[in-house]
Amino acid sequence: MDVSTCLKSLLLAIRQYRNNRSALNASQLQKHIEDVSGLKCGGVLFSGQVLPSECLSGLMEVAGDPNASHALTGSIISLLAQFASDGEAKEALHSSYNFTSTLAAIIHCNRTTPEEPLVLQCLNVLQRLTYNVRTLPCASHIHELISFLMQHVQSSNDDIVKACLGLMANLCRHDISVQSHIKSQSNVKAFYRALINFLGHNCLTVVVFALSILSSLTLNEEVGQKLFNAKNIHQTFQLIFNITVNGDGTLTRNYAVDLLVDLLKNPKIADYLTKYKHLSVCLSEVLGLLHSKDPDTASKVMELLVSLCSVPVLRKLVCETVLRPPAPRLQPGTRKCVQARGSEPSLALVHWVTSPLDGPEQCYMQALSLLAELFEEAIDSSLCSSAQSFVELLLQEVLVLLQSPDSTEGDQLLKKHCLRAGRVVDFLLLLCGDDALRMLVSQRLSPEVCVSQVELLLSYNQDLSGSTCTTSNYQLSQVCSEVVLKTLELMSHLRQQMPDMETSFYRILQDQRMVTPLSLALTSNCREHVQVALRILFEAAPLPDFPSVILGDSIAANNAYRQRVGELSIRSSSASEDVSFVGKSFPIMHAEPSGSAYQSIDSLIEKLQNGAKLQEKVKDVHMSEIIDVYEQKLSALACKESRLQDLLEAKALALSQADRLIAQYRCQRAQAEAEARKLASLLKDTERKKEDLQTELNDHLLEVERLKSDSQQLLEHNGRLQAVADQHQELKGTYNQLLSRYDKSEGMLKELQAAHISLTQQAEGLRKTNEGLKLQQERTLAELAEKEQQIKGLKTDVLEKERIITGLQNNLRRQEEQIHEMEENISILRKELNKTEQARKDTSIKASSLELQKSQLEAKLEKMEEELSKHTQMIAMIHSLSSSKLKGDATANLSL
C-alpha cells in the first residue's frame, strides 16, 4: 500500500472517530496509525500538501482530546515522535501544528497521575521537541507545564526526574519569559535547593541538567555567583570536559557542550577558563573526538570549539593546537589520504567538511565555521606561514564542494548545496586576505568552477521567480542570490592573478539574470549583503550592457512589496488577537517571509522618528518650501500608487484563479466524501458477513489444527527416538576406537619413558666429561699465559743485550780510530770480544729453544680445542635427541 492510500484511509478513520467515538472506531484508527508509522513518510507528511496537513491536524485534535484512550493517544505520540529529530519536521510540529501545546495539555490532564507511562512518553517527546527550539509565547498550558515540572523534579521515579530536568533545561535556555515566570513562583527557593542537591547525584546526566537550569536562571544573580565563583568553576570545567570526552551518551554530551557554550558568554567565566591549568590537556582530548564516526558528536564538538574561538586567548590556543602540529608533515593528497591520517585534528576537520550533502547539515557547516575562525586567527598571527601546506590539502578537498550538483536531486539538496557553497566562498574570501594564501587559491581555483556555479544558481533562481510564490521558494531564492554575489566577489578578488577570471567576471555582470540577486541584496535588511551588492554594482555600472533600468524597476517593485507587506501587517495586527485561538488548533500557512512582522515594526519606528524630526524642523522653515516638499511627496506617492495599483490588479487575478480552484476543490471534496460514505456502508455490510463466516471457518480450522498437531507430535517423537538410537550406535563405535588408541599410546609411552631415562644418563655422563675437559683447558690456558710472559721477559733481555752490543761496537770503532794509542790493550779487548760473542750465541740458542717450546705448546692447545669442539658437538646432539623425545612424549600425552 502506498503512502497516499494510507493517508486517505487514516483521514477517513479520523473522521469516523470524530463522528462516533466508539471503541471499534478507536481500534480502527489505531490500526491505521500503526500502518502509517511503518512507512517512511516524513517527507510527505510535512510537505505542506492538503491531505497530509488534514491528517496531522486531525491527529492533533484526537491527541488533545481528554476523553481519548491512553493507548490511542500514545500511538499518535509515537508516530509523531519519529519526526522529532528531523529539523524541518520538528519545526513544523513546533510552530505550524503546535504539537508542544498538545503534549502540554495531555500532561496537564494527567497531572494527578504522573506515574502513568503516557506522561513519561509526553515528557520525553517534549524534551526532544524543545531542544534548541524556543517555545512560542502564545503556546497554551506552558505555565501549567512549568508548574508540573517544578513540582515533580523531586519525584521518587528517576525516569520522571530526568525527563523533567531535561525539559526544564530546554525551556529555560534563552527564554526570558519562562525564566521570569519561574522566578515569580512562590516555591522557587525550594526549587533552587532541589537543583543544588542534584549536583551531587550519581547520574552525570542529572548533574548536567541541574547545572544548565541553574546557569539559565541564576548566572547573573547572587546564587549563581556563589555557584560559579572562582573556587567552584574549575570543578565545573573539569566535570564538563569529562562528560564531553567520556560521557554517558550523545544526549549528555550535547547538554554539557551547551552548558559550556552558555557559560562562555559570561566574560568573567571566560576569563576563568583561560586560567584553567588543565585546559591544554582537555582541549587535546576534545579534539580527539573529531575522529569519531558519529556526525552528531563531531558537530557538537565543533560547536564547542567555535564558541571557544569567541574568546581571543582561547582562539589562539585552539588555532595552535589544531594547525601547528601537523603543518610540517602535511602534503597534498587524495581523499583517501585524508581518511588514512585521521590522527591529526586538522585532517579530521577536512574529513567532516567534505561529508556528503545528504548527511547532517550541522556537521559540515560547523566544520567550515571552525576553519574560518582558525584561519582568521592564523592570518593575524605568525601561524599563517606554517599552515600553508595544510591550506594546499584543504583547498584540494574544499574546491570539490563548489562543483555543481545533479539537478535531479531536488530542491532540498540544492538548498543545502547553496548554504555550504556560500560558507565555502566566505572561507575562500577570508584566505584572500593574505597575499600568499591568495596565490594558493588562484593556483587551485579554476574560472570554470565559478562560472558553472553562478550559471546554475542564476538559472535556478529564474525558475523560482517564474513559479508559485511560497515561503520556501522565497527563502531559496534569497540563498541562491547570496551565493551568487559572494562568488562574484571572490572572482573580483582573484581577477588580477587570473586573466580568464576577469573575462568571465565581466561577462556575468552583463547578464540580465543578475538583476534579481542585486535587487534582493540592495533592498535587504542585512548590512553585509547591501555592502557586497554595492561593491558588485560599482564594478558593473560602467559596463555597456549592464541592465541598470531593469535593476531600478526591480528595486522599486521590491520596495513597493515591502511597503505593502508592512501595511497589511499593520491592518492585520488588530485582528490577530481574534484568530489566536484558531491558530492553536489548525496549521498556520505562512505566505510571507517569517521576518515581515519585525520589518513592519522597524519601519513604523523609523516613520515615527522621521515624523518627530520633521515637526521640529517645520517651525523654522518657510511655508512655500513646505508646500514644495509636500508636492514632491504627493508626486512620489502618486507614482507608488500607480505601481501598487498594478500589483493589486495582478493580485486580483490571482485571487480569482484561487477562488475557482477552491470551488473546484470543494466540489471534488464533496464527491469524494459521498463516495467515501457509500464505501463505508458497503464496508460495514461486508465486515458483518465476514465475521459470521469467520466464526464458522475458525471452528473447522481448530479441529483440523488439533488433528494435525497430534499427528505431528507423534511423528516428531518417533523421529527423536530414531535419532537417539543412531547416536547411540555412533558413540559405541567411537568408544571402541578410542579404547584401542589408548592401549597403543600407553605402550608407546612406556617405551619412550625408558629411552628417555637412558638418554638422560648418557647426557649426565657427557656433561661431567665436558666439565673435566673445561677445567683442563683452563689449566693449559694459565700455563700458556705464564710461558708467554716468560717469552716476553726473554725478548726484553735480548733487546737489552743488543743495545749493549751496539754500544760496544761504537766503542770498538772509537778504539780502532785510536789504535795507535792503545796497541798494548788490543789482545785484552780481543779476549773480551770473544767472550761477549760466546754469550750472545748462548742467548740466541736459548731463544730458539724457547720458540720451539712455544710452537709445541700451541700445537697441544690446537689439539685440545679440537677435542673440545668434538665434545660440544656430541653434547648438542644429545640435547637435540632428548628434546625430540620429550616433544614426542608430550604429543603422546596430548593425544591421550
Side-chain angles (χ1 to χ4, degrees), residues 766-780 864 867-868 871-872:
L766 290 172
R767 186 178 62 79
K768 290 178 180 179
T769 56
N770 185 23
E771 289 176 356
L773 290 172
K774 283 183 179 180
L775 292 172
Q776 189 176 0
Q777 182 186 8
E778 289 174 358
R779 292 193 196 98
T780 55
M864 295 294 289
E867 290 178 358
L868 180 63
H871 286 301
T872 54

Side-chain angles (χ1 to χ4, degrees), residues 350-361:
V350 178
H351 170 69
W352 290 117
V353 166
T354 56
S355 57
L357 274 177
D358 52 358
E361 178 183 351

Side-chain angles (χ1 to χ4, degrees), residues 7 40 51 55-57 88 108 125 131 265 291 347 371 419 536 549 625 636 685-686 893:
L7 292 179
K40 295 181 179 180
L51 179 61
C55 290
L56 288 173
S57 301
E88 295 187 354
H108 180 66
V125 175
Y131 181 69
K265 294 177 182 177
H291 311 310
L347 296 181
L371 283 174
L419 291 171
I536 300 298
V549 178
E625 294 177 355
D685 296 334
T686 53
N893 290 328

Side-chain angles (χ1 to χ4, degrees), residues 32-62:
H32 286 296
I33 291 170
E34 292 173 356
D35 293 339
V36 172
S37 64
L39 301 173
K40 295 181 179 180
C41 55
V44 179
L45 273 176
F46 299 96
S47 61
Q49 299 177 2
V50 178
L51 179 61
S53 298
E54 289 186 356
C55 290
L56 288 173
S57 301
L59 289 175
M60 294 295 174
E61 184 180 353
V62 174

Side-chain angles (χ1 to χ4, degrees), residues 530-712:
V530 177
Q531 290 175 355
V532 172
L534 287 174
R535 286 194 291 269
I536 300 298
L537 183 61
F538 179 76
E539 297 286 343
L543 298 177
D545 295 334
F546 179 68
S548 57
V549 178
I550 302 174
L551 178 61
D553 294 340
S554 180
I555 292 172
N558 285 338
N559 290 332
Y561 174 76
R562 287 176 178 275
Q563 185 178 2
R564 180 63 177 170
V565 168
E567 292 176 356
L568 290 175
S569 62
I570 293 171
R571 291 176 185 174
S572 61
S573 61
S574 59
S576 61
E577 296 178 358
D578 299 333
V579 297
S580 61
F581 178 75
V582 180
K584 295 176 184 178
S585 303
F586 297 95
I588 302 167
M589 305 302 291
H590 296 285
E592 305 295 342
S594 60
S596 60
Y598 298 103
Q599 294 172 5
S600 63
I601 293 170
D602 293 336
S603 63
L604 280 174
I605 294 170
E606 289 178 0
K607 287 179 181 179
L608 289 173
Q609 291 176 353
N610 293 333
K613 293 178 181 177
L614 186 62
Q615 287 177 3
E616 292 175 2
K617 293 180 180 180
V618 162
K619 296 178 181 178
D620 299 330
V621 179
H622 196 267
M623 187 63 68
S624 62
E625 294 177 355
I626 295 172
I627 292 170
D628 293 335
V629 171
Y630 276 104
E631 285 178 353
Q632 291 175 2
K633 286 187 176 182
L634 287 173
S635 63
L637 289 173
C639 295
K640 290 181 180 179
E641 185 179 3
S642 62
R643 290 174 183 168
L644 289 174
Q645 189 66 32
D646 296 336
L647 290 173
L648 286 173
E649 290 175 359
K651 289 288 184 182
L653 290 174
L655 287 173
S656 62
Q657 292 177 1
D659 291 335
R660 287 196 296 272
L661 292 173
I662 290 170
Q664 293 175 4
Y665 170 74
R666 286 175 178 171
C667 294
Q668 293 175 0
R669 184 175 178 180
Q671 292 175 1
E673 287 178 353
E675 290 176 359
R677 292 191 192 94
K678 291 179 182 178
L679 291 173
S681 62
L682 291 173
L683 182 63
K684 288 180 181 178
D685 296 334
T686 53
E687 284 180 351
R688 292 193 195 95
K689 293 178 182 179
K690 178 185 174 183
E691 289 174 358
D692 296 333
L693 294 172
Q694 190 69 32
T695 52
E696 295 177 0
L697 181 63
N698 289 334
D699 296 333
H700 294 295
L701 288 174
L702 287 173
E703 292 178 358
V704 172
E705 289 296 326
R706 289 193 197 97
L707 295 173
K708 283 184 179 180
S709 63
D710 293 336
S711 61
Q712 189 66 27

